[in-house]
């Protein structure tokens, strides 16, 4: 699909309002495949197809998450000045910490949805760390290194639930190689971990924690388990 036609914007009112945009602007068809609105339509469709169902209406309503996303969009736009199609720039990452059910994954997908109408080619990749390990497990017919590069080299990566699975030497090596690559190349990453800041080192090891602390804006999501609230 070339995104030179109007798209369905059901569920995007809150995000558009945060950007002071209207549906009419997003669906302004100029015929230019690289104009702001065409890229925005592509990214909105991408989010609609790739955000998991329960987060499909998620909005990054935490001010620090929104501020990080604004900064990433501004830096990407600045770095892409000479290019036909603005894409993800080098930038600090975002680390969302906090107890179970407080809304970390919601904020993470909320940030990706918030970025969609900014006219930048995000083409993000999202995985949980458990799903990533499963995808990387050596098996017949799959080149684990190629799979690894899909995550390590992703322009914008959401890595959900870092440090949640029981660790092994193998998962620690994957975590280290992934975080180190993203750290050295300043590739923006949204990470969530089900810990409080003081517990990070114990959960992911000091070499990964040290890099995360330097490369990330840290946001602690406070509150109680929203799933229990919903069940009550
Ligand atoms: N700001 C919000 N507004 C409305 N619903 C929310 C918000 N934040 C979270 N929720 C809902 O609360 C539930 C828990 O949120 P979420 O899955 O993001 O928690 P989490 O911190 O990632 O938990 P875990 O550590 O178990 O992964 C989900 O059903 C989610 O849709
Ligand atoms: Mg989560």
């Amino acid at each position: 699909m070339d995104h030179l036609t109007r798209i369905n914007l059901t569920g995007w009112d809150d995000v558009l309002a945060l950007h002071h945009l209207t549906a009419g602007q997003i669906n302004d068809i100029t015929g230019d495949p690289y104009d702001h609105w065409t890229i925005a339509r592509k990214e909105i469709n991408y989010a609609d197809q790739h955000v998991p169902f329960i987060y499909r209406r998620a909005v990054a309503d935490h001010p620090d998450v929104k501020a990080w996303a604004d900064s990433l969009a501004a830096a990407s736009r600045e770095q892409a000045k000479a290019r036909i199609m603005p894409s993800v720039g080098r930038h600090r990452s975002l680390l969302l910490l906090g107890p179970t059910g407080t809304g970390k994954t919601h904020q993470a997908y909320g940030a990706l949805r918030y970025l969609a109408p900014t006219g930048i080619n995000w083409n993000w990749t999202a995985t949980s760390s458990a799903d990533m390990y499963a995808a990387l497990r050596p098996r017949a017919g799959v080149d684990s290194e190629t799979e690894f590069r899909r995550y390590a080299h992703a322009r914008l990566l959401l890595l959900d639930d870092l440090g949640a699975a029981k660790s092994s030497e193998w998962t620690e090596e994957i975590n280290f190689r992934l975080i180190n690559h993203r750290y050295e190349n300043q590739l923006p990453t949204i990470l969530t971990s089900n810990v409080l800041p003081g517990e990070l080192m114990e959960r992911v090891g000091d070499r990964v924690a040290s890099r995360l602390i330097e490369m990330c804006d840290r946001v602690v999501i406070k509150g109680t388990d929203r799933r229990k609230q919903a069940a009550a």
Side-chain angles (χ1 to χ4, degrees):
M1 187 177 159
D2 56 12
H3 299 98
L4 291 171
T5 52
R6 294 164 67 86
I7 60 165
N8 179 353
L9 288 166
T10 306
W12 285 87
D13 292 356
D14 292 350
V15 172
L16 297 186
L18 287 173
H19 291 287
H20 307 291
L21 290 172
T22 63
Q25 284 171 296
I26 299 292
N27 273 326
D28 179 13
I29 310 298
T30 63
D32 174 355
Y34 301 113
D35 79 347
H36 184 112
W37 309 117
T38 307
I39 300 171
R41 287 192 295 278
K42 176 183 85 63
E43 291 294 323
I44 287 171
N45 269 341
Y46 185 90
D48 279 342
Q49 285 160 19
H50 293 91
V51 171
F53 185 77
I54 68 161
Y55 305 114
R56 71 197 183 286
R57 302 282 185 261
V59 179
D61 49 14
H62 192 296
D64 296 347
V65 174
K66 188 171 164 295
W68 175 84
D70 283 331
S71 170
L72 172 63
S76 299
R77 206 168 290 121
E78 178 65 29
Q79 290 169 44
K81 259 184 189 158
R83 288 195 221 123
I84 299 175
M85 173 123 92
S87 67
V88 190
R90 299 187 197 280
H91 191 268
R92 292 177 64 70
S93 291
L94 178 70
L95 177 59
L96 297 162
L97 301 176
T100 301
T102 48
K104 300 177 295 295
T105 307
H106 179 100
Q107 293 298 323
Y109 280 108
L112 293 174
R113 293 186 74 244
Y114 176 75
L115 288 168
T118 52
I120 292 161
N121 179 35
W122 299 109
N123 197 24
W124 47 264
T125 301
T127 184
S128 69
S129 51
D131 283 345
M132 180 181 69
Y133 303 143
L136 298 183
R137 208 145 277 148
R139 58 197 192 280
V142 176
D143 178 15
S144 297
E145 254 337 275
T146 306
E147 273 296 301
F148 175 77
R149 279 195 291 273
R150 203 168 88 74
Y151 302 107
H153 293 210
R155 299 301 301 266
L156 175 60
L157 176 69
L158 163 56
L159 182 62
D160 200 18
D161 268 328
L162 180 67
K166 200 167 180 305
S167 73
S168 67
E169 251 174 58
W170 183 77
T171 59
E172 278 173 21
E173 184 188 320
I174 300 287
N175 288 349
F176 178 75
R177 288 185 58 211
L178 181 82
I179 301 301
N180 192 48
H181 181 81
R182 302 197 66 85
Y183 166 75
E184 288 184 341
N185 293 287
Q186 273 193 56
L187 300 176
T189 312
I190 303 174
L191 302 116
T192 82
S193 187
N194 194 352
V195 295
L196 291 172
E199 302 161 342
L200 189 64
M201 212 165 266
E202 187 188 319
R203 197 67 79 86
V204 298
D206 23 342
R207 298 178 74 219
V208 169
S210 157
R211 282 164 178 75
L212 289 177
I213 288 163
E214 185 186 326
M215 73 196 257
C216 293
D217 289 344
R218 234 175 315 159
V219 179
V220 180
I221 312 287
K222 301 214 166 76
T224 49
D225 186 340
R226 287 173 178 264
R227 298 192 191 100
K228 280 190 187 149
Q229 280 170 18

